[in-house]
PDB file of all heavy atoms in Angstrom:
ATOM      1  N   PHE A   1      55.637  76.949 -36.764  1.00 75.00           N
ATOM      2  CA  PHE A   1      54.771  75.852 -37.207  1.00 75.00           C
ATOM      3  C   PHE A   1      55.631  74.625 -37.572  1.00 75.00           C
ATOM      4  O   PHE A   1      55.364  73.496 -37.146  1.00 75.00           O
ATOM      5  CB  PHE A   1      53.951  76.253 -38.447  1.00 75.00           C
ATOM      6  CG  PHE A   1      52.989  77.360 -38.164  1.00 75.00           C
ATOM      7  CD1 PHE A   1      52.576  78.206 -39.206  1.00 75.00           C
ATOM      8  CD2 PHE A   1      52.511  77.616 -36.917  1.00 75.00           C
ATOM      9  CE1 PHE A   1      51.690  79.250 -38.970  1.00 75.00           C
ATOM     10  CE2 PHE A   1      51.597  78.661 -36.665  1.00 75.00           C
ATOM     11  CZ  PHE A   1      51.211  79.478 -37.702  1.00 75.00           C
ATOM     12  N   ILE A   2      56.665  74.899 -38.354  1.00 79.00           N
ATOM     13  CA  ILE A   2      57.540  73.815 -38.837  1.00 79.00           C
ATOM     14  C   ILE A   2      58.214  73.137 -37.626  1.00 79.00           C
ATOM     15  O   ILE A   2      58.278  71.904 -37.508  1.00 79.00           O
ATOM     16  CB  ILE A   2      58.574  74.293 -39.818  1.00 79.00           C
ATOM     17  CG1 ILE A   2      57.910  74.822 -41.096  1.00 79.00           C
ATOM     18  CG2 ILE A   2      59.573  73.197 -40.174  1.00 79.00           C
ATOM     19  CD1 ILE A   2      58.818  75.541 -42.026  1.00 79.00           C
ATOM     20  N   TYR A   3      58.735  73.956 -36.744  1.00 72.00           N
ATOM     21  CA  TYR A   3      59.504  73.414 -35.598  1.00 72.00           C
ATOM     22  C   TYR A   3      58.615  72.560 -34.713  1.00 72.00           C
ATOM     23  O   TYR A   3      59.004  71.469 -34.298  1.00 72.00           O
ATOM     24  CB  TYR A   3      60.053  74.616 -34.808  1.00 72.00           C
ATOM     25  CG  TYR A   3      60.938  74.215 -33.622  1.00 72.00           C
ATOM     26  CD1 TYR A   3      62.242  73.746 -33.836  1.00 72.00           C
ATOM     27  CD2 TYR A   3      60.482  74.280 -32.354  1.00 72.00           C
ATOM     28  CE1 TYR A   3      63.052  73.377 -32.787  1.00 72.00           C
ATOM     29  CE2 TYR A   3      61.280  73.911 -31.250  1.00 72.00           C
ATOM     30  CZ  TYR A   3      62.556  73.480 -31.506  1.00 72.00           C
ATOM     31  OH  TYR A   3      63.377  73.115 -30.461  1.00 72.00           O
ATOM     32  N   SER A   4      57.402  73.060 -34.421  1.00 77.00           N
ATOM     33  CA  SER A   4      56.537  72.246 -33.554  1.00 77.00           C
ATOM     34  C   SER A   4      55.923  71.075 -34.250  1.00 77.00           C
ATOM     35  O   SER A   4      55.752  70.020 -33.620  1.00 77.00           O
ATOM     36  CB  SER A   4      55.393  73.153 -32.993  1.00 77.00           C
ATOM     37  OG  SER A   4      54.649  73.706 -34.064  1.00 77.00           O
ATOM     38  N   ASN A   5      55.622  71.181 -35.544  1.00 81.00           N
ATOM     39  CA  ASN A   5      54.981  70.083 -36.277  1.00 81.00           C
ATOM     40  C   ASN A   5      55.925  68.955 -36.558  1.00 81.00           C
ATOM     41  O   ASN A   5      55.478  67.775 -36.670  1.00 81.00           O
ATOM     42  CB  ASN A   5      54.343  70.592 -37.550  1.00 81.00           C
ATOM     43  CG  ASN A   5      53.104  71.426 -37.303  1.00 81.00           C
ATOM     44  OD1 ASN A   5      52.480  71.319 -36.241  1.00 81.00           O
ATOM     45  ND2 ASN A   5      52.715  72.236 -38.317  1.00 81.00           N
ATOM     46  N   ILE A   6      57.203  69.229 -36.728  1.00 81.00           N
ATOM     47  CA  ILE A   6      58.157  68.162 -37.014  1.00 81.00           C
ATOM     48  C   ILE A   6      58.232  67.181 -35.804  1.00 81.00           C
ATOM     49  O   ILE A   6      58.334  65.964 -36.010  1.00 81.00           O
ATOM     50  CB  ILE A   6      59.533  68.714 -37.334  1.00 81.00           C
ATOM     51  CG1 ILE A   6      59.522  69.314 -38.742  1.00 81.00           C
ATOM     52  CG2 ILE A   6      60.641  67.653 -37.295  1.00 81.00           C
ATOM     53  CD1 ILE A   6      60.822  69.987 -39.189  1.00 81.00           C
ATOM     54  N   GLU A   7      58.208  67.670 -34.627  1.00 77.00           N
ATOM     55  CA  GLU A   7      58.241  66.825 -33.465  1.00 77.00           C
ATOM     56  C   GLU A   7      56.974  65.911 -33.415  1.00 77.00           C
ATOM     57  O   GLU A   7      57.070  64.740 -33.127  1.00 77.00           O
ATOM     58  CB  GLU A   7      58.290  67.657 -32.193  1.00 77.00           C
ATOM     59  CG  GLU A   7      58.506  66.901 -30.906  1.00 77.00           C
ATOM     60  CD  GLU A   7      59.875  66.298 -30.865  1.00 77.00           C
ATOM     61  OE1 GLU A   7      60.843  66.803 -31.455  1.00 77.00           O
ATOM     62  OE2 GLU A   7      60.002  65.206 -30.183  1.00 77.00           O
ATOM     63  N   LEU A   8      55.844  66.531 -33.763  1.00 81.00           N
ATOM     64  CA  LEU A   8      54.600  65.739 -33.834  1.00 81.00           C
ATOM     65  C   LEU A   8      54.671  64.730 -34.950  1.00 81.00           C
ATOM     66  O   LEU A   8      54.177  63.586 -34.848  1.00 81.00           O
ATOM     67  CB  LEU A   8      53.429  66.716 -34.006  1.00 81.00           C
ATOM     68  CG  LEU A   8      52.006  66.092 -33.920  1.00 81.00           C
ATOM     69  CD1 LEU A   8      51.797  65.470 -32.553  1.00 81.00           C
ATOM     70  CD2 LEU A   8      50.973  67.182 -34.200  1.00 81.00           C
ATOM     71  N   LEU A   9      55.258  65.150 -36.120  1.00 84.00           N
ATOM     72  CA  LEU A   9      55.355  64.269 -37.251  1.00 84.00           C
ATOM     73  C   LEU A   9      56.220  63.043 -36.939  1.00 84.00           C
ATOM     74  O   LEU A   9      55.913  61.918 -37.400  1.00 84.00           O
ATOM     75  CB  LEU A   9      55.918  65.071 -38.443  1.00 84.00           C
ATOM     76  CG  LEU A   9      56.015  64.290 -39.778  1.00 84.00           C
ATOM     77  CD1 LEU A   9      54.624  63.899 -40.246  1.00 84.00           C
ATOM     78  CD2 LEU A   9      56.679  65.191 -40.809  1.00 84.00           C
ATOM     79  N   LYS A  10      57.282  63.258 -36.188  1.00 81.00           N
ATOM     80  CA  LYS A  10      58.129  62.102 -35.787  1.00 81.00           C
ATOM     81  C   LYS A  10      57.321  61.101 -34.981  1.00 81.00           C
ATOM     82  O   LYS A  10      57.456  59.874 -35.219  1.00 81.00           O
ATOM     83  CB  LYS A  10      59.295  62.606 -34.967  1.00 81.00           C
ATOM     84  CG  LYS A  10      60.396  63.357 -35.768  1.00 81.00           C
ATOM     85  CD  LYS A  10      61.471  63.916 -34.880  1.00 81.00           C
ATOM     86  CE  LYS A  10      62.290  62.784 -34.307  1.00 81.00           C
ATOM     87  NZ  LYS A  10      63.435  63.341 -33.538  1.00 81.00           N
ATOM     88  N   ASP A  11      56.467  61.576 -34.111  1.00 82.00           N
ATOM     89  CA  ASP A  11      55.665  60.666 -33.309  1.00 82.00           C
ATOM     90  C   ASP A  11      54.647  59.940 -34.183  1.00 82.00           C
ATOM     91  O   ASP A  11      54.437  58.710 -34.051  1.00 82.00           O
ATOM     92  CB  ASP A  11      54.912  61.431 -32.228  1.00 82.00           C
ATOM     93  CG  ASP A  11      54.051  60.554 -31.359  1.00 82.00           C
ATOM     94  OD1 ASP A  11      54.603  59.602 -30.735  1.00 82.00           O
ATOM     95  OD2 ASP A  11      52.792  60.817 -31.309  1.00 82.00           O
ATOM     96  N   TYR A  12      54.030  60.650 -35.162  1.00 83.00           N
ATOM     97  CA  TYR A  12      53.052  59.972 -36.049  1.00 83.00           C
ATOM     98  C   TYR A  12      53.672  58.944 -36.910  1.00 83.00           C
ATOM     99  O   TYR A  12      53.137  57.882 -37.198  1.00 83.00           O
ATOM    100  CB  TYR A  12      52.356  61.085 -36.930  1.00 83.00           C
ATOM    101  CG  TYR A  12      51.358  61.919 -36.179  1.00 83.00           C
ATOM    102  CD1 TYR A  12      50.730  62.985 -36.824  1.00 83.00           C
ATOM    103  CD2 TYR A  12      51.023  61.658 -34.861  1.00 83.00           C
ATOM    104  CE1 TYR A  12      49.764  63.783 -36.154  1.00 83.00           C
ATOM    105  CE2 TYR A  12      50.093  62.457 -34.187  1.00 83.00           C
ATOM    106  CZ  TYR A  12      49.470  63.490 -34.846  1.00 83.00           C
ATOM    107  OH  TYR A  12      48.568  64.250 -34.175  1.00 83.00           O
ATOM    108  N   VAL A  13      54.887  59.263 -37.465  1.00 83.00           N
ATOM    109  CA  VAL A  13      55.570  58.310 -38.315  1.00 83.00           C
ATOM    110  C   VAL A  13      55.922  57.029 -37.529  1.00 83.00           C
ATOM    111  O   VAL A  13      55.841  55.943 -38.025  1.00 83.00           O
ATOM    112  CB  VAL A  13      56.853  58.991 -38.912  1.00 83.00           C
ATOM    113  CG1 VAL A  13      57.738  57.931 -39.533  1.00 83.00           C
ATOM    114  CG2 VAL A  13      56.459  59.998 -39.919  1.00 83.00           C
ATOM    115  N   ALA A  14      56.336  57.227 -36.263  1.00 82.00           N
ATOM    116  CA  ALA A  14      56.665  56.050 -35.419  1.00 82.00           C
ATOM    117  C   ALA A  14      55.419  55.187 -35.234  1.00 82.00           C
ATOM    118  O   ALA A  14      55.508  53.968 -35.262  1.00 82.00           O
ATOM    119  CB  ALA A  14      57.211  56.553 -34.085  1.00 82.00           C
ATOM    120  N   ARG A  15      54.270  55.849 -35.029  1.00 84.00           N
ATOM    121  CA  ARG A  15      53.049  55.054 -34.853  1.00 84.00           C
ATOM    122  C   ARG A  15      52.667  54.286 -36.146  1.00 84.00           C
ATOM    123  O   ARG A  15      52.277  53.123 -36.098  1.00 84.00           O
ATOM    124  CB  ARG A  15      51.886  55.997 -34.509  1.00 84.00           C
ATOM    125  CG  ARG A  15      52.017  56.652 -33.150  1.00 84.00           C
ATOM    126  CD  ARG A  15      50.772  57.461 -32.864  1.00 84.00           C
ATOM    127  NE  ARG A  15      50.967  58.354 -31.702  1.00 84.00           N
ATOM    128  CZ  ARG A  15      49.998  59.166 -31.275  1.00 84.00           C
ATOM    129  NH1 ARG A  15      48.804  59.210 -31.887  1.00 84.00           N
ATOM    130  NH2 ARG A  15      50.177  59.927 -30.203  1.00 84.00           N
ATOM    131  N   LEU A  16      52.761  54.982 -37.273  1.00 83.00           N
ATOM    132  CA  LEU A  16      52.478  54.286 -38.548  1.00 83.00           C
ATOM    133  C   LEU A  16      53.423  53.141 -38.807  1.00 83.00           C
ATOM    134  O   LEU A  16      53.000  52.088 -39.318  1.00 83.00           O
ATOM    135  CB  LEU A  16      52.574  55.309 -39.682  1.00 83.00           C
ATOM    136  CG  LEU A  16      51.426  56.321 -39.786  1.00 83.00           C
ATOM    137  CD1 LEU A  16      51.741  57.365 -40.894  1.00 83.00           C
ATOM    138  CD2 LEU A  16      50.127  55.650 -40.065  1.00 83.00           C
ATOM    139  N   GLU A  17      54.654  53.356 -38.435  1.00 81.00           N
ATOM    140  CA  GLU A  17      55.619  52.251 -38.609  1.00 81.00           C
ATOM    141  C   GLU A  17      55.230  51.032 -37.768  1.00 81.00           C
ATOM    142  O   GLU A  17      55.377  49.881 -38.237  1.00 81.00           O
ATOM    143  CB  GLU A  17      57.019  52.759 -38.237  1.00 81.00           C
ATOM    144  CG  GLU A  17      58.124  51.731 -38.533  1.00 81.00           C
ATOM    145  CD  GLU A  17      59.520  52.298 -38.203  1.00 81.00           C
ATOM    146  OE1 GLU A  17      59.630  53.465 -37.902  1.00 81.00           O
ATOM    147  OE2 GLU A  17      60.450  51.474 -38.221  1.00 81.00           O
ATOM    148  N   ARG A  18      54.790  51.242 -36.557  1.00 82.00           N
ATOM    149  CA  ARG A  18      54.334  50.168 -35.713  1.00 82.00           C
ATOM    150  C   ARG A  18      53.145  49.472 -36.304  1.00 82.00           C
ATOM    151  O   ARG A  18      53.098  48.222 -36.349  1.00 82.00           O
ATOM    152  CB  ARG A  18      53.950  50.689 -34.312  1.00 82.00           C
ATOM    153  CG  ARG A  18      55.146  51.058 -33.426  1.00 82.00           C
ATOM    154  CD  ARG A  18      54.650  51.677 -32.136  1.00 82.00           C
ATOM    155  NE  ARG A  18      53.766  50.691 -31.422  1.00 82.00           N
ATOM    156  CZ  ARG A  18      52.898  51.040 -30.450  1.00 82.00           C
ATOM    157  NH1 ARG A  18      52.832  52.350 -30.086  1.00 82.00           N
ATOM    158  NH2 ARG A  18      52.162  50.142 -29.909  1.00 82.00           N
ATOM    159  N   TYR A  19      52.216  50.240 -36.872  1.00 81.00           N
ATOM    160  CA  TYR A  19      51.033  49.649 -37.456  1.00 81.00           C
ATOM    161  C   TYR A  19      51.388  48.817 -38.687  1.00 81.00           C
ATOM    162  O   TYR A  19      50.931  47.651 -38.833  1.00 81.00           O
ATOM    163  CB  TYR A  19      50.030  50.748 -37.864  1.00 81.00           C
ATOM    164  CG  TYR A  19      48.881  50.281 -38.714  1.00 81.00           C
ATOM    165  CD1 TYR A  19      47.830  49.528 -38.124  1.00 81.00           C
ATOM    166  CD2 TYR A  19      48.857  50.525 -40.080  1.00 81.00           C
ATOM    167  CE1 TYR A  19      46.770  49.063 -38.898  1.00 81.00           C
ATOM    168  CE2 TYR A  19      47.787  50.063 -40.866  1.00 81.00           C
ATOM    169  CZ  TYR A  19      46.774  49.341 -40.231  1.00 81.00           C
ATOM    170  OH  TYR A  19      45.731  48.863 -41.049  1.00 81.00           O
ATOM    171  N   LEU A  20      52.225  49.325 -39.548  1.00 80.00           N
ATOM    172  CA  LEU A  20      52.594  48.605 -40.788  1.00 80.00           C
ATOM    173  C   LEU A  20      53.384  47.342 -40.433  1.00 80.00           C
ATOM    174  O   LEU A  20      53.238  46.294 -41.103  1.00 80.00           O
ATOM    175  CB  LEU A  20      53.376  49.496 -41.683  1.00 80.00           C
ATOM    176  CG  LEU A  20      52.591  50.665 -42.320  1.00 80.00           C
ATOM    177  CD1 LEU A  20      53.565  51.604 -43.083  1.00 80.00           C
ATOM    178  CD2 LEU A  20      51.504  50.137 -43.281  1.00 80.00           C
ATOM    179  N   SER A  21      54.232  47.434 -39.398  1.00 80.00           N
ATOM    180  CA  SER A  21      54.980  46.244 -39.015  1.00 80.00           C
ATOM    181  C   SER A  21      54.021  45.189 -38.491  1.00 80.00           C
ATOM    182  O   SER A  21      54.194  43.979 -38.757  1.00 80.00           O
ATOM    183  CB  SER A  21      55.982  46.602 -37.876  1.00 80.00           C
ATOM    184  OG  SER A  21      56.932  47.503 -38.373  1.00 80.00           O
ATOM    185  N   ALA A  22      52.975  45.590 -37.753  1.00 81.00           N
ATOM    186  CA  ALA A  22      51.981  44.596 -37.248  1.00 81.00           C
ATOM    187  C   ALA A  22      51.222  43.992 -38.366  1.00 81.00           C
ATOM    188  O   ALA A  22      50.960  42.799 -38.394  1.00 81.00           O
ATOM    189  CB  ALA A  22      51.044  45.301 -36.263  1.00 81.00           C
ATOM    190  N   VAL A  23      50.835  44.812 -39.360  1.00 76.00           N
ATOM    191  CA  VAL A  23      50.080  44.272 -40.521  1.00 76.00           C
ATOM    192  C   VAL A  23      50.933  43.285 -41.290  1.00 76.00           C
ATOM    193  O   VAL A  23      50.450  42.240 -41.737  1.00 76.00           O
ATOM    194  CB  VAL A  23      49.640  45.438 -41.445  1.00 76.00           C
ATOM    195  CG1 VAL A  23      49.137  44.908 -42.788  1.00 76.00           C
ATOM    196  CG2 VAL A  23      48.590  46.283 -40.741  1.00 76.00           C
ATOM    197  N   TYR A  24      52.182  43.536 -41.432  1.00 75.00           N
ATOM    198  CA  TYR A  24      53.097  42.663 -42.135  1.00 75.00           C
ATOM    199  C   TYR A  24      53.262  41.292 -41.485  1.00 75.00           C
ATOM    200  O   TYR A  24      53.517  40.307 -42.122  1.00 75.00           O
ATOM    201  CB  TYR A  24      54.471  43.348 -42.325  1.00 75.00           C
ATOM    202  CG  TYR A  24      55.434  42.590 -43.195  1.00 75.00           C
ATOM    203  CD1 TYR A  24      55.195  42.559 -44.610  1.00 75.00           C
ATOM    204  CD2 TYR A  24      56.558  41.978 -42.681  1.00 75.00           C
ATOM    205  CE1 TYR A  24      56.059  41.853 -45.412  1.00 75.00           C
ATOM    206  CE2 TYR A  24      57.431  41.276 -43.482  1.00 75.00           C
ATOM    207  CZ  TYR A  24      57.186  41.245 -44.865  1.00 75.00           C
ATOM    208  OH  TYR A  24      58.041  40.530 -45.674  1.00 75.00           O
ATOM    209  N   GLU A  25      53.082  41.285 -40.141  1.00 77.00           N
ATOM    210  CA  GLU A  25      53.281  40.054 -39.403  1.00 77.00           C
ATOM    211  C   GLU A  25      51.997  39.198 -39.408  1.00 77.00           C
ATOM    212  O   GLU A  25      52.000  38.030 -38.969  1.00 77.00           O
ATOM    213  CB  GLU A  25      53.677  40.364 -37.930  1.00 77.00           C
ATOM    214  CG  GLU A  25      55.061  40.990 -37.866  1.00 77.00           C
ATOM    215  CD  GLU A  25      55.354  41.485 -36.446  1.00 77.00           C
ATOM    216  OE1 GLU A  25      54.478  41.362 -35.568  1.00 77.00           O
ATOM    217  OE2 GLU A  25      56.492  41.983 -36.216  1.00 77.00           O
ATOM    218  N   VAL A  26      50.874  39.732 -39.854  1.00 78.00           N
ATOM    219  CA  VAL A  26      49.591  38.961 -39.880  1.00 78.00           C
ATOM    220  C   VAL A  26      49.629  37.953 -40.994  1.00 78.00           C
ATOM    221  O   VAL A  26      50.181  38.216 -42.104  1.00 78.00           O
ATOM    222  CB  VAL A  26      48.433  39.946 -40.078  1.00 78.00           C
ATOM    223  CG1 VAL A  26      47.118  39.147 -40.249  1.00 78.00           C
ATOM    224  CG2 VAL A  26      48.296  40.859 -38.904  1.00 78.00           C
ATOM    225  N   ASP A  27      49.139  36.647 -40.690  1.00 78.00           N
ATOM    226  CA  ASP A  27      49.064  35.641 -41.758  1.00 78.00           C
ATOM    227  C   ASP A  27      47.953  35.945 -42.743  1.00 78.00           C
ATOM    228  O   ASP A  27      46.761  36.126 -42.384  1.00 78.00           O
ATOM    229  CB  ASP A  27      48.774  34.265 -41.097  1.00 78.00           C
ATOM    230  CG  ASP A  27      49.967  33.764 -40.283  1.00 78.00           C
ATOM    231  OD1 ASP A  27      51.097  34.169 -40.580  1.00 78.00           O
ATOM    232  OD2 ASP A  27      49.720  33.041 -39.331  1.00 78.00           O
ATOM    233  N   LEU A  28      48.371  36.165 -43.954  1.00 76.00           N
ATOM    234  CA  LEU A  28      47.413  36.567 -45.008  1.00 76.00           C
ATOM    235  C   LEU A  28      47.353  35.414 -46.024  1.00 76.00           C
ATOM    236  O   LEU A  28      48.279  34.616 -46.166  1.00 76.00           O
ATOM    237  CB  LEU A  28      47.872  37.830 -45.673  1.00 76.00           C
ATOM    238  CG  LEU A  28      47.915  39.083 -44.814  1.00 76.00           C
ATOM    239  CD1 LEU A  28      48.592  40.227 -45.603  1.00 76.00           C
ATOM    240  CD2 LEU A  28      46.540  39.471 -44.351  1.00 76.00           C
TER     241      LEU A  28
END
């Protein structure tokens, strides 16, 4: 479980990082 989920977790973290970077670039 750990071995397979860590690979998936790396992908999810990368996606969240992209989202947060995009939010930070929006004019607020």
Side-chain angles (χ1 to χ4, degrees):
F1 298 154
I2 296 171
Y3 184 76
S4 59
N5 287 340
I6 286 177
E7 188 66 29
L8 188 61
L9 184 60
K10 289 177 67 176
D11 180 59
Y12 285 176
V13 167
R15 292 184 193 182
L16 287 173
E17 186 179 350
R18 284 177 58 199
Y19 171 74
L20 291 173
S21 296
V23 169
Y24 186 70
E25 293 173 357
V26 174
D27 291 333
L28 297 174

